[in-house]
Every structure is written in C-alpha cells, then in structure tokens.
Amino acid sequence: MFDSNGKFLQEFSTERDGRLDEPVGIALGPDGRVYVADTWNMRVAVFAEDGNFLTSWPVQGWSGDSLDNKPYIAVDTESRVYVTDLERYRVIVFSSLGIPLASFGQYGPEQDAFGLPVGIASGADGSVWVTDAGNNRLAKFDIWK
C-alpha cells in the first residue's frame, strides 16, 4: 500500500491463507475491506484495511487455463461483490460473505451479452459498468432496479 505521493506504507499479509497467486483485480468495500481477484488460487481473497487476511471464497469459473482469463472485481455501496467470469461470458455477484446472489451475461453481441468482459466498476447509483473488449463497448447494467 502506498500513500497518494507514492510513499510505501505497508504490504498485505501474504503468508499461509493470505498468499496470492496472480492478483489482477482489487476493490475497496464501503466498510474498508479490500477484495482481491486472486486468479490462480481461483478465489476472492478478503483483507482488512490494515492488510491482514480475513477470509476467502472460491470462484469456480476461474478454473480455465486461458491467458485471457484475468478476472476483475468491483464492490458496490451495499457490499455486493461483482466478479467477471471471462470464459463463461458473465458476471457473478456475491454477498460480502461469499454467498452467490446472481449472475448475468452470456456469449454474444446483444446488449445483455459479452464477447470478453475484462473490466468492471460499480456506480454510486447501484449500476454496474462492464468493459466488454470482445464487443468493443462499455455496458451499463441496473440489475437491482
């Protein structure tokens, strides 16, 4: 972790259960928890804001060997965790405890489908934004309305 001037502050605990294997996505929850898309451990790892490992849960969709399979993650204001599942062309939604809540998307060019969902962010209004590299677009979803 670094401050806004680039000064090193501390690092996340990476011993035992906190060990990460190609972390490619990171998101901050409204409670200060840090959620990491831990690619090759096929899980979401959760850390306290001080960097100590708290818990994790598996994401079965991250089991592929594709070089494109780099999952990304976002957390909304209700602490719902969104992860991209590139090889299944969808987004999976979990509670902050790792309980699956929903998923959306499929393969295709339609507005509710993806070609390669590579980036994700949540909006203050509850919307979810997904960067779809396969269809060259940024898509907005309002799944809780």
Side-chain angles (χ1 to χ4, degrees), residues 86 88-90 105-110 112-116 134-135:
L86 285 75
R88 289 178 181 84
Y89 309 99
R90 65 181 179 166
Q106 61 189 1
Y107 178 74
E110 299 83 16
D112 63 344
F114 301 113
L116 189 63
N135 287 316

Side-chain angles (χ1 to χ4, degrees), residues 15-83:
E15 296 181 16
R16 292 181 285 191
D17 291 338
R19 185 181 162 282
L20 301 171
D21 191 357
E22 196 166 358
V24 296
I26 188 168
L28 184 63
D31 60 357
R33 290 182 179 198
V34 179
Y35 297 82
V36 178
D38 187 9
T39 308
W40 299 124
N41 284 328
M42 298 178 287
R43 68 180 184 163
V44 170
V46 185
F47 295 84
E49 44 188 327
D50 65 3
N52 286 314
F53 177 80
L54 297 173
T55 190
S56 67
W57 65 82
V59 180
Q60 299 303 325
W62 295 348
S63 60
D65 293 328
S66 168
L67 294 177
D68 290 331
N69 193 12
K70 304 296 182 216
Y72 292 93
I73 190 167
V75 180
D76 70 13
T77 57
E78 301 296 319
S79 295
R80 291 180 290 242
V81 180
Y82 301 80
V83 298

